Amino acid sequence: MLAKKMQDALNEQVRIEAESSQVYLAMASWAEIQPGVDNITAFFYRHSDEERMHMLKLIHFINERGGFAVVPALPQPNLTFPSLHHAFKQLLEHEIFVSESINKLVDIALQEKDYATHNFLQWYVAEQIEEEALARTINDKLELIGDDKGGLYLLDRDILNVSVTGGGTME
Ligand code: FEO
């Protein structure tokens, strides 16, 4: 059985993952109307789907442990971006925020001596390492590319080979 404090904290994470999914869905929709970035668009859509999967995994866990997962209300995310680089900077900042939130959950699990939840959360800890690393790599590339359209073309081609979950690296 989940302690109330643990359950509330996990439900807050449900909200954060749902919000992440919406934030990246908005990036995907905006990217879709920009020229020449079809694969980057697909990356954002896929990332949004993965965040929804993170949310669902939490919902099932809370309910299976005798709690009640609360489906949250969400604010409207940013709809437009000054540039692709701005969108990816926001993505990186958002992932850093998510990592901090997961770390807080791990702290609470330890305080509560809830080792089942602690064990469950390790998947998220590992996932955040990958997501942050990938977001940093893409931001570094966009920094180098600047206004070079050829560079953007190559990034859009290379991003086909990366996936947020389960690795795939960009050299
Ligand atoms: Fe589920 Fe990207 O945090």
Side-chain angles (χ1 to χ4, degrees):
M1 188 76 185
L2 281 172
K4 165 115 178 52
K5 186 176 176 186
M6 192 77 252
Q7 184 178 176
D8 290 349
L10 287 167
N11 268 321
E12 171 59 9
Q13 193 64 32
V14 168
R15 192 192 64 73
I16 289 171
E17 301 291 349
E19 189 173 55
S20 305
S21 181
Q22 288 292 89
V23 166
Y24 303 151
L25 185 59
M27 288 177 183
S29 179
W30 172 78
E32 197 162 30
I33 60 165
Q34 311 305 312
V37 290
D38 291 359
N39 296 325
I40 290 171
T41 297
F43 171 88
F44 284 129
Y45 275 120
R46 198 170 62 208
H47 205 342
S48 173
D49 284 347
E50 284 173 4
E51 298 302 348
R52 180 176 159 78
M53 186 271 284
H54 298 173
M55 175 193 69
L56 287 173
K57 208 172 158 81
L58 278 157
I59 287 177
H60 294 316
F61 180 77
I62 295 166
N63 289 335
E64 279 163 12
R65 298 271 327 277
F68 176 51
V70 177
V71 175
L74 297 172
Q76 188 165 48
N78 253 355
L79 298 178
T80 59
F81 305 86
S83 71
L84 206 55
H85 199 182
H86 280 83
F88 273 105
K89 272 189 196 155
Q90 195 192 323
L91 185 145
L92 173 59
E93 281 164 19
H94 192 80
E95 287 304 329
I96 291 169
F97 161 74
V98 173
S99 297
E100 285 166 1
S101 170
I102 296 289
N103 289 343
K104 281 185 204 151
L105 277 177
V106 172
D107 274 348
I108 294 170
L110 288 175
Q111 280 164 27
E112 297 289 321
K113 298 194 180 356
D114 183 343
Y115 301 113
T117 300
H118 183 269
N119 186 50
F120 168 76
L121 289 171
Q122 296 313 302
W123 184 87
Y124 287 84
V125 171
E127 180 72 9
Q128 282 313 119
I129 293 170
E130 283 205 17
E131 292 201 359
E132 271 192 47
L134 181 57
R136 284 204 172 82
T137 304
I138 296 171
N139 270 285
D140 289 349
K141 282 183 181 288
L142 282 163
E143 196 76 50
L144 281 173
I145 287 168
D147 292 330
D148 174 19
K149 290 207 168 21
L152 190 59
Y153 171 82
L154 292 176
L155 178 68
D156 192 65
R157 189 195 64 184
D158 293 349
I159 210 166
L160 261 184
N161 301 321
V162 302
S163 104
V164 178
T165 306
T169 51
M170 296 181 79
E171 301 303 324

